[in-house]
Amino acid sequence: MASKRFGKRIVGGSLFAGLLSKAAQYAKNPDKLRDLSREARKKAESAGSGAPLKEFWESLTAFLRLIRAYAKGEFREIPWQKLVLIVASILYFLTPIDVIPDFVVGLGYLDDAAVIAWVVSAVRSVLDDFLRWESAAARAAGDSRASS
């Protein structure tokens, strides 16, 4: 709960406001979304799914899959404001110098985790819709392979 409050304070700040504006530009450009997803995945993998990232790893990777599916035109059932909020949270994750700089060992990702946790709570229904869509798409792909 404390992490969500911390995340809400960060999201309400001027740094995040600038990222929201940048996120809107990214969301309009499928190539930028794909590049953003790749860059964030590399950073997340280098940080690992351990300690500081553990609690928000699944949410972060779901966000990355969602923006890739959006960029490909496969999943578009998302309100614009929520897409921009998700993209801004990923941009925040990629920003090395933020509220707690990422190079601060043991603490550097706490602010990133707080932002992701708050954004997840703000977009929960959309994220759940995406996860159901993703699961159905995977089942359909498995069914079509089985019948080939």
Side-chain angles (χ1 to χ4, degrees), residues 27 29-35 65-76 83:
N29 184 325
D31 291 331
K32 280 187 161 192
L33 283 178
R34 281 189 286 273
D35 291 345
R65 293 190 315 270
L66 186 153
I67 66 167
R68 263 195 322 273
Y70 184 88
K72 291 179 182 177
E74 296 171 345
F75 182 80
R76 293 295 177 115
L83 174 65

Side-chain angles (χ1 to χ4, degrees), residues 10 15-28 32-33 35-37 39-41 43 56 60 63-64 67 83-99 102 109 111-112 115-116 119:
I10 294 169
L15 171 62
F16 201 82
L19 292 176
L20 284 169
S21 177
K22 189 174 180 180
Q25 296 306 308
Y26 272 76
K28 292 176 186 174
K32 280 187 161 192
L33 283 178
D35 291 345
L36 180 70
S37 176
E39 190 177 341
R41 180 163 295 285
K43 181 175 181 178
F56 80 101
L60 175 63
F63 281 175
L64 297 177
I67 66 167
L83 174 65
V84 170
L85 188 59
I86 290 168
V87 172
S89 73
I90 294 168
L91 288 168
Y92 187 87
F93 171 67
L94 286 171
T95 302
I97 305 296
D98 44 32
V99 173
D102 293 343
Y109 291 106
D111 59 325
D112 300 314
V115 167
I116 295 292
V119 171

